[in-house]
Amino acid sequence: GILFLKDCEGALLEIKPEDMTDVAWMKLNKKAITYIEVVISDDILVDLKGLTTTFEVCLYRYSLTIARL
């Protein structure tokens, strides 16, 4: 997906890697969430407010998928 193409796949981790600074972790998540926002619809975008990590965004999207089953 887009996160792999943009070198943001590390943001999918739930916990910050030990060798990464807090600032670098925040920047990576901000970058990844920005790419996610580009490809999702506006009605879903409203639901993502307040989520601060890419992991949280993915978990939220997964919960929506499960709820539809």
Side-chain angles (χ1 to χ4, degrees):
I2 188 79
L3 297 182
F4 290 96
L5 293 174
K6 299 296 184 176
D7 294 324
C8 294
E9 67 272 9
L12 294 171
L13 300 172
E14 182 176 10
I15 300 171
K16 176 183 73 74
E18 290 181 17
D19 62 342
M20 185 178 281
T21 67
D22 289 342
V23 171
W25 178 246
M26 288 187 300
K27 285 182 181 180
L28 178 62
N29 274 286
K30 186 174 182 177
K31 182 178 174 183
I33 289 173
T34 299
Y35 287 123
I36 291 169
E37 290 173 346
V38 167
V39 298
I40 61 174
S41 64
D42 288 342
D43 58 327
I44 294 173
L45 190 58
V46 171
D47 294 334
L48 300 181
K49 286 193 180 268
L51 302 179
T52 59
T53 67
T54 307
F55 181 82
E56 290 174 338
V57 171
C58 290
L59 191 62
Y60 175 76
R61 291 291 298 139
Y62 178 75
S63 70
L64 291 179
T65 302
I66 295 300
R68 291 182 189 155
L69 297 178

